[in-house]
Every structure is written in C-alpha cells, then in structure tokens.
Amino acid sequence: MDVILFGVGQIAEVMAHYIQEDPNLNLVGFTVDREYLPPTGEFKGLPVAAWDNVTRSFPPDHVRLLGPVSYRGNNKFRRDRHFEAKDLGYQFVTYIHPSSHVGGAEIGENTVILEDCTVQPYARLGAGTILWSKVHIGHHATVGDFCFFASFCGIAGNARVGDCTFFGGQTGLADNLSVGSGCIVGAGTNLTESLPDGALAVTRGVRVVANGARRFARTLLG
C-alpha cells in the first residue's frame, strides 16, 4: 500500500522510520503546508508536496495518507488537516506496531500506535489519535478524536478523555474519571480528579539541589 506522510519535522522523521520497516506499507512521499516545504523539495530522499497542491503530486486514488503526526495547536491542526483530506477524497492509514496489543478495542482511522502499547478490550480510540511508545489504555475507556499520548501514559479502566487533548509523558488518569476536550496534562502529572474542557493540569516540578548528588552519595551511599 502506497502511503504519504504529513510532516517533515522530527516526529514525522520517526514515523517515517516505522512505516519504512513495515512490509505492508510503502512510503512514497510527504506533504506539508507550503511555508514548510524543504528547499530541496525532498525529505529523506522522497518528494514533498505542498498541501495546497497535494492531489496533483499524490492523487487520492493512488495513495493513502497518514497524519499529520503533530500535536501543533493542541492537536487542532491535525484535526483540521484530517477533515480537509477527507474532503479531498483521501483515505487513511492506521499504523499499529506489531509489538502492541489492541485486541477487542475499537480503533479509529488515521491512528498511530507505536511499540509496546496496550489498548484493552472494550476501549475506544477516536480518529487521529496518537499513542507514542508504552502507553496503556484501560478496558472500557473512551478516548475522543485527535488526542496525543506521549510515552508511558496510563489511562485506567472506564476513564473518558475528550477530543484534542494532550497527555505528556509519564502521566496517569485514574479509573472512572474524565478529562474534557482541549485539555493539556503536563508530563509526570497523575490525575485523581476529573478535568473540565480546556483545563491545564501540571504537577509542581522537582526540587533541584546544586551539588546535591555528591553530598547525597557521600552521606547516604558511603
């Protein structure tokens, strides 16, 4: 299956690596908004088409689209381009790494699930959702469209997450709780209460002690 990928940044570069390792997918090019076109017109040795002219370079009846693989604008950029692509007639690829387990779950189109993720039975992931490495989505959990979960997130059973919400790395959501649409959960934050739409949840940062490691090692580690 021939695939084009939306994006030419670091996340797209990583995603291209996964696609090129998949024997069922053939990455044939990229697309981005015109202002982000590389000067050479290529990325990773493949052609890059401007989004406003993408159908000429990559006709919708010849390729499928994945992405954008970006959380720009708290995922709203990805949402907007997804619906524009549908209007242009594109169908989408859903990428699931072979080391991940998603049996018995409902997975939306244009979704990315990287390695060592678990989506338990009866969970639902909406369209355009991205699970980076080692994310857990519990049973009967519901995740809306165009969410992004960084590595080591844990969403417990029967939890609910609204559209276009971002979870940073090493975050958690307790069972039966809900997080609204358009929220941001900062890295290392574990939620034990529900969040309304548009909320920001951030755990206070760690305390840094200058030269503390040396004193700690001398005093406690010998």
Side-chain angles (χ1 to χ4, degrees):
M1 180 189 303
D2 288 347
V3 177
I4 59 170
L5 183 62
F6 197 119
V8 293
Q10 290 184 346
I11 295 178
E13 186 173 28
V14 171
M15 196 66 236
H17 175 84
Y18 286 106
I19 294 173
Q20 289 174 323
E21 287 195 330
D22 191 317
N24 298 312
L25 301 176
N26 179 36
L27 184 64
V28 297
F30 299 84
T31 183
V32 288
D33 288 354
R34 184 170 292 276
E35 58 266 36
Y36 297 106
L37 278 173
T40 62
E42 292 187 350
F43 183 63
K44 296 182 68 65
L46 294 172
V48 182
W51 179 242
D52 58 22
N53 197 38
V54 66
T55 57
R56 178 172 296 181
S57 300
F58 302 110
D61 56 345
H62 290 173
V63 300
R64 294 199 176 195
L65 176 67
L66 181 62
V69 283
S70 164
Y71 44 80
R72 176 179 160 192
N74 199 19
N75 302 298
K76 294 180 176 63
F77 172 77
R78 186 161 81 257
R79 176 198 64 191
D80 294 346
R81 292 296 179 269
H82 175 95
F83 287 118
E84 289 173 10
K86 288 181 79 75
D87 289 342
L88 291 172
Y90 284 100
Q91 297 185 55
F92 300 97
V93 174
T94 287
Y95 176 83
I96 301 174
H97 193 276
S99 68
S100 289
H101 301 275
V102 300
E106 179 182 343
I107 308 297
E109 64 181 2
N110 202 9
T111 287
V112 170
I113 300 175
L114 294 189
E115 69 269 28
D116 300 325
C117 293
T118 301
V119 184
Q120 289 188 327
Y122 307 108
R124 177 192 178 276
L125 298 185
T129 290
I130 296 177
L131 308 186
W132 220 240
S133 307
K134 300 182 184 296
V135 173
H136 174 89
I137 307 293
H139 62 89
H140 297 90
T142 301
V143 174
D145 299 332
F146 311 108
C147 292
F148 191 106
F149 295 85
S151 298
F152 295 98
C153 290
I155 306 300
N158 202 45
R160 296 166 300 282
V161 178
D163 298 341
C164 297
T165 282
F166 175 87
F167 278 77
Q170 297 182 314
T171 52
L173 176 62
D175 58 298
N176 301 311
L177 297 181
S178 62
V179 171
S181 297
C183 293
I184 296 176
V185 181
T189 301
N190 291 309
L191 296 175
T192 55
E193 60 184 84
S194 295
L195 297 182
D197 290 349
L200 169 65
V202 180
T203 296
R204 181 176 296 176
V206 299
R207 181 186 176 195
V208 177
V209 179
N211 297 315
R214 182 169 53 188
R215 295 202 303 271
F216 178 87
R218 183 172 58 246
T219 303
L220 298 178
L221 303 182

